Amino acid sequence: MATISTPAFRFLVEEFGGCDEYYTEMINAGTLLTNGPFEKFYIDPSPVPQKLVWQLTGRNCQHMVDACKELLKLPGIGIDLNMGCSAPDIYRYGAGIAWMLKPLEETMEMVGEVGKLISSYNKENPQSKKRFSVKFRLGDEDFTEESLFTFTNALIDNGVEHLTLHPRTKKEKLIRPARYQYCEKLALLAHKRNVTLYLNGNVKDYDSYQNALAKAPSVDGVMISRACVQKPWIFKSLKSQESIQVDMEKLAFDYIDLIEKYQPKEFWKTRLQRFFTYYSQNFLFSHYAQTEFLNAKDNEDLKIRIKNFFEKCPQEKILLTH
């Protein structure tokens, strides 16, 4: 969810009733510690600080620990270590899923140090305890069920209280069906040790949500990423199971306003292009919409293009979800 999980996007989802938890963009431990000029935007907890999970990434053990010290000063549910991102530039850097591919002792040294830090914080602050969680995948292409269980148990041994599993390997793309059976197996393992587990992957509507829960009925929750960018109302839709009428033109203009309010100008283009890539998928003429919106020179040009699109395609303006 890089370039997406910003305060601006959280405001947008909240307009439709919100969700239970929001994970931030991946916060780079090293950059956070150097107090870069844009870090304040990554750690803005708006609009619902009490629902926020700080997602941390990095390749250096000490940087991860020191960054956690800083994040523990902020409100929110807790801190999540990202061990699931398989983007080539992330794992080659030594972060994301790279932590699953390093020697187990090296990874658990880092996890253990973070776990001790959070445990100590919780003892000193019993009224504002923070959850320690990890998001991960099945592993590399040669993973085995035994290696997955060993890794999961090691996380729990080192203080992890909550897990999120994206049941694909490092190289498996989204076209490969998610292996929900592993979410079920790990949920049962986790529950025996008083740990919770969320399922992540391929949930994009009510039918896929039900399919995931049918195959992994023991999970404690479902994480939705790409689908909620396309449909910020998806959480409301899943809870109510009712049709929702969405003014797509208003939604577009609202998001531009939110980006301008909560993101630095240097971020506007990348954040808006990423959002409108998914947003455009809602339309019958999706390719035309995406081409128009992503080719905008600036925000004012984008607003003109949006207005022109709905004048040419008025039937696309009001979306009735199912």
Side-chain angles (χ1 to χ4, degrees):
M1 295 291 279
T3 74
I4 290 292
S5 299
T6 67
F9 185 69
R10 294 194 289 272
F11 268 103
L12 197 67
V13 176
E14 282 293 303
E15 288 182 9
F16 292 99
C19 60
D20 298 319
E21 299 180 10
Y22 292 98
Y23 282 59
T24 66
E25 293 183 84
M26 289 189 293
I27 298 168
N28 184 284
T31 308
L32 178 66
L33 295 172
T34 59
N35 197 27
F38 300 116
E39 294 314 297
K40 65 181 179 181
F41 298 99
Y42 286 95
I43 60 174
D44 180 350
S46 303
V48 278
Q50 70 276 15
K51 292 184 181 181
L52 212 58
V53 178
W54 302 101
Q55 185 180 189
L56 188 64
T57 187
R59 63 177 179 178
N60 178 280
C61 175
Q62 193 57 52
H63 286 173
M64 296 287 277
V65 174
D66 291 342
C68 280
K69 292 178 183 177
E70 297 303 312
L71 294 178
L72 285 171
K73 299 175 184 178
L74 304 174
I77 293 172
I79 296 173
D80 183 79
L81 304 184
N82 185 299
M83 297 187 184
C85 182
S86 61
D89 57 334
I90 297 294
Y91 75 78
R92 287 171 187 160
Y93 172 72
I97 197 173
W99 285 104
M100 293 191 74
L101 311 181
K102 297 176 183 180
L104 186 62
E105 296 77 10
E106 179 182 348
T107 297
M108 293 309 149
E109 178 184 2
M110 182 274 290
V111 175
E113 290 300 312
V114 172
K116 291 174 187 176
L117 180 65
I118 296 176
S119 177
S120 177
Y121 171 90
N122 287 339
K123 289 178 182 177
E124 296 173 6
N125 301 274
Q127 302 304 316
S128 59
K129 289 185 176 181
K130 301 295 173 65
R131 187 182 71 192
F132 179 25
S133 63
V134 169
K135 182 175 185 287
F136 63 122
R137 287 183 174 240
L138 298 176
D140 212 339
E141 309 315 295
D142 60 351
F143 93 98
T144 63
E145 189 169 304
E146 181 181 2
S147 67
L148 181 62
F149 272 60
T150 297
F151 188 82
T152 305
N153 274 313
L155 291 174
I156 299 171
D157 288 341
N158 283 280
V160 175
E161 306 164 274
H162 174 73
L163 304 163
T164 300
L165 178 66
H166 181 87
R168 290 188 175 94
T169 63
K170 178 170 73 73
K171 292 184 179 180
E172 286 178 342
K173 305 301 180 184
L174 295 177
I175 56 173
R176 168 70 189 255
R179 306 190 212 183
Y180 294 135
Q181 69 269 26
Y182 287 108
C183 293
E184 175 67 9
K185 291 179 179 181
L186 290 192
L188 294 174
L189 180 154
H191 292 168
K192 289 179 181 178
R193 305 194 61 185
N194 298 314
V195 168
T196 50
L197 184 138
Y198 291 164
L199 170 155
N200 170 241
N202 277 42
V203 175
K204 54 188 177 181
D205 51 30
Y206 185 74
D207 288 343
S208 57
Y209 173 67
Q210 289 298 315
N211 175 60
L213 293 183
K215 294 180 178 178
S218 300
V219 300
D220 300 281
V222 174
M223 175 185 282
I224 300 176
S225 50
R226 289 172 176 82
C228 77
V229 189
Q230 178 187 351
K231 300 176 282 191
W233 56 85
I234 190 171
F235 302 105
K236 180 178 181 179
S237 180
L238 292 179
K239 288 179 180 179
S240 68
Q241 300 179 42
E242 297 177 356
S243 296
I244 300 170
Q245 185 171 291
V246 182
D247 185 329
M248 297 301 289
E249 185 175 23
K250 180 180 182 299
L251 179 67
F253 285 127
D254 283 351
Y255 193 63
I256 295 171
D257 290 343
L258 287 166
I259 285 291
E260 290 179 348
K261 184 175 181 179
Y262 290 99
Q263 294 287 272
K265 193 169 184 177
E266 294 87 343
F267 286 6
W268 289 359
K269 184 174 183 178
T270 55
R271 271 56 180 164
L272 288 170
Q273 284 187 333
R274 185 85 186 279
F275 172 78
F276 279 100
T277 296
Y278 289 99
Y279 166 90
S280 299
Q281 294 172 12
N282 290 294
F283 303 126
L284 179 62
F285 300 103
S286 59
H287 179 72
Y288 168 65
Q290 182 174 318
T291 301
E292 281 294 297
F293 301 153
L294 268 58
N295 284 333
K297 298 190 299 289
D298 53 34
N299 289 9
E300 292 309 309
D301 185 32
L302 176 58
K303 292 175 184 178
I304 293 171
R305 288 168 179 260
I306 291 169
K307 190 173 186 301
N308 290 340
F309 173 78
F310 288 109
E311 286 178 352
K312 292 179 180 179
C313 308
Q315 73 278 13
E316 302 274 32
K317 185 175 186 297
I318 302 300
L319 177 66
L320 185 64
T321 71
H322 300 287

